[in-house]
Amino acid sequence: MAGGAPEDEAVLAESVGLALLVVLNELGPAERVAFVPHDLFGVPFDRIAAVTGRSRPAAKKLATRARAKVRGVPVLPGAELERHRQVVEAFPGAARGGDLAALLDVLAPDVVRRADPVAVPPGGPVELPGARAVVEGTLLLRQRARSTALALVDGTVGAVVAPRGRLVCALRITVADGRVASYEVVAEPERCRPLGLAVLDLPPRTAPGHALAAAHDGN
């Protein structure tokens, strides 16, 4: 994925979603070669094996390993994960629209935002306490919300900011009592690298050449 033409990356990001493109960029080359054609474009493993010079079982094994990374392992049970997802989803949505009331509604009154220094404007505070301060800081950076997508971040519902699928920062978000209780903006490269990033959803499978596909090992 990395190193492609910007226009190709923009099309792919629109097709598969920003979060999936970020995670694909984290896969090893061999994993991408096996996973992307099959899971995203429906190419049979026989063809993938012929192109890569690997056996069909080896190609399937690589795709299975990649698929596990792409999907991740949520640390919350399904119902609780979905409740957290609804809360987190409302956050960038309100930010994109500049909706002050909606932001205040989704944030706990004593919410705290912590951020790596590179993620805030020069001289800006790395910690913002209280909903009003967090809303003001969020609205200052509302342009970022247009490149924000939900993702699993270390097993919980969070978000990635990734223009054209290139990770700028990840948001670790804590939800309590139906609101965002705190969140951390992780932007330093050395802190982003060990993050466990995965997607919340894979697109439904379509014909090769279109976007894009959930996995079926039997092909």
Side-chain angles (χ1 to χ4, degrees):
M1 300 295 127
E7 60 272 19
D8 294 337
E9 292 173 358
V11 170
L12 189 56
E14 183 176 351
S15 298
V16 307
L18 293 176
L20 180 53
L21 190 53
V22 167
V23 176
L24 291 179
N25 280 326
E26 299 297 312
L27 298 179
E31 292 171 334
R32 285 200 300 269
V33 168
F35 174 84
V36 172
H38 177 262
D39 282 45
L40 301 189
F41 295 99
V43 176
F45 280 121
D46 289 340
R47 289 177 56 190
I48 296 171
V51 169
T52 61
R54 297 173 183 264
S55 68
R56 187 177 187 275
K60 288 185 67 175
K61 186 174 182 179
L62 280 170
T64 298
R65 189 168 68 197
R67 194 174 303 124
K69 294 180 180 179
V70 168
R71 289 178 170 170
V73 181
V75 299
L76 299 173
E80 189 175 359
L81 188 75
E82 181 58 29
R83 287 194 294 271
H84 283 209
R85 178 197 181 119
Q86 291 173 7
V87 173
V88 173
E89 195 167 30
F91 183 30
R96 275 190 289 270
D99 191 331
L100 176 63
L103 280 168
L104 288 171
D105 188 56
V106 77
L107 297 172
D110 57 351
V111 63
V112 177
R113 185 221 71 188
R114 298 177 179 86
D116 289 344
V118 297
V120 299
V126 295
E127 182 170 312
L128 291 175
R132 180 64 63 172
V134 170
V135 165
E136 291 173 356
T138 300
L139 293 179
L140 282 175
L141 300 172
R142 61 181 289 194
Q143 190 70 24
R144 286 185 180 176
R146 297 176 183 176
S147 300
T148 299
L150 298 194
L152 277 180
V153 180
D154 289 337
T156 62
V157 183
V160 291
V161 179
R164 296 182 183 271
R166 299 302 184 98
L167 183 65
V168 172
C169 60
L171 276 61
R172 283 195 185 114
I173 299 175
T174 300
V175 174
D177 298 324
R179 288 182 165 185
V180 174
S182 66
Y183 71 98
E184 179 184 13
V185 183
V186 182
E188 298 285 358
E190 64 272 17
R191 298 189 67 221
C192 284
R193 278 191 289 271
L195 288 175
L197 301 179
V199 297
L200 284 162
D201 298 298
L202 286 173
R205 170 162 290 184
T206 61
H210 298 281
L212 290 171
H216 292 286
D217 285 335
N219 285 356

